[in-house]
Amino acid sequence: MALSAIGAGFGRTGTESLRQALDMLGLGPTHHMYEVMGSEEQKERWLALAKGETPDWSALFQGFNSAVDWPSAAHWRETMEAFPDAKVILTHRPAEDWWASFSKTILVAIQSGKDVGGVASAVIADCVFKGRPDDKDHAISTYLASIDDVRRTVPKDRLIDMPLGAGWKPLCDGFGLTVPAAPFPSGNTKSQFRAER
């Protein structure tokens, strides 16, 4: 199974809502950090990749038709090349809003000590933020640079630019699909994130 959708947006930019939306549109199942957290095999594969092992993208995404959120979002460039027919979806929100959400959820989980040596530490803290996920200025700069990089790199005919709250239209237009009658999903609020951890 080849990926048809690759999420390039950082965690806390609506990636769980996007996961649900892709599944509702028939573009799933969609890989998300949830799948990694629930599978020792997934953890081992992503940790090996974080340590420099050559990836087997087909094995990493076996059984999935789309991928969003970290850890896969940290590798959008490589997966875009590995799956040349996939659309790249850039979810984003204003930088200060992103930091307010990230710092109260993912950063807290990383700093809790429960993930020492785990995927969140290896991929998010170390690979994405170069060991400085708690440095607000550095984190925001990294976030904004990633958005710019995606927009500069991904061909226009493959890029779906989705600001948080954009609803179905960008996604359905990008895939040539009809907008569903159901409301666009909303998942993984800050309170839900905390409750699950």
Side-chain angles (χ1 to χ4, degrees):
M1 181 181 289
L3 293 185
S4 60
I6 296 165
F10 278 22
R12 308 311 299 167
T13 62
T15 57
E16 166 57 9
S17 300
L18 176 60
R19 181 189 71 79
Q20 292 178 33
L22 289 167
D23 288 352
M24 288 171 68
L25 290 172
L27 297 168
T30 303
H31 188 277
H32 185 282
M33 181 63 94
Y34 288 147
E35 279 66 42
V36 180
M37 290 166 49
S39 165
E40 288 305 315
E41 183 179 17
Q42 281 274 329
K43 286 178 188 174
E44 288 174 12
R45 288 176 174 175
W46 285 100
L47 282 171
L49 178 57
K51 292 173 183 172
E53 188 172 294
T54 302
D56 178 344
W57 296 115
S58 295
L60 277 168
F61 296 117
Q62 185 175 6
F64 296 97
N65 193 45
S66 297
V68 301
D69 197 51
W70 286 313
S72 62
H75 300 280
W76 62 267
R77 189 185 303 271
E78 301 99 303
T79 50
M80 182 179 102
E81 293 173 3
F83 303 102
D85 294 327
K87 297 283 187 179
V88 178
I89 306 168
L90 175 62
T91 51
H92 55 92
R93 65 197 298 184
E96 286 288 342
D97 293 349
W98 169 78
W99 171 257
S101 182
F102 172 80
S103 64
K104 292 179 175 67
T105 54
I106 295 171
L107 181 59
V108 171
I110 291 170
Q111 293 177 325
S112 71
K114 296 177 182 175
D115 185 60
V116 175
V119 175
S121 295
V123 174
I124 302 170
D126 297 338
C127 293
V128 175
F129 295 108
K130 310 302 181 202
R132 296 164 58 195
D134 56 345
D135 180 334
K136 178 182 177 180
D137 291 341
H138 172 73
I140 286 178
S141 175
T142 301
Y143 169 74
L144 292 173
S146 179
I147 292 171
D148 288 344
D149 193 21
V150 172
R151 286 177 172 157
R152 269 195 322 269
T153 305
V154 180
K156 297 296 181 203
D157 63 338
R158 291 186 68 185
L159 179 63
I160 299 173
D161 195 303
M162 281 193 68
L164 190 64
W168 288 111
K169 187 167 177 17
L171 194 59
C172 291
D173 286 354
F175 284 99
L177 299 171
T178 302
V179 173
F184 193 85
S186 176
N188 204 13
T189 63
K190 280 187 276 194
S191 57
Q192 288 171 331
F193 183 100
R194 292 184 193 122
E196 290 167 4
R197 283 149 189 85

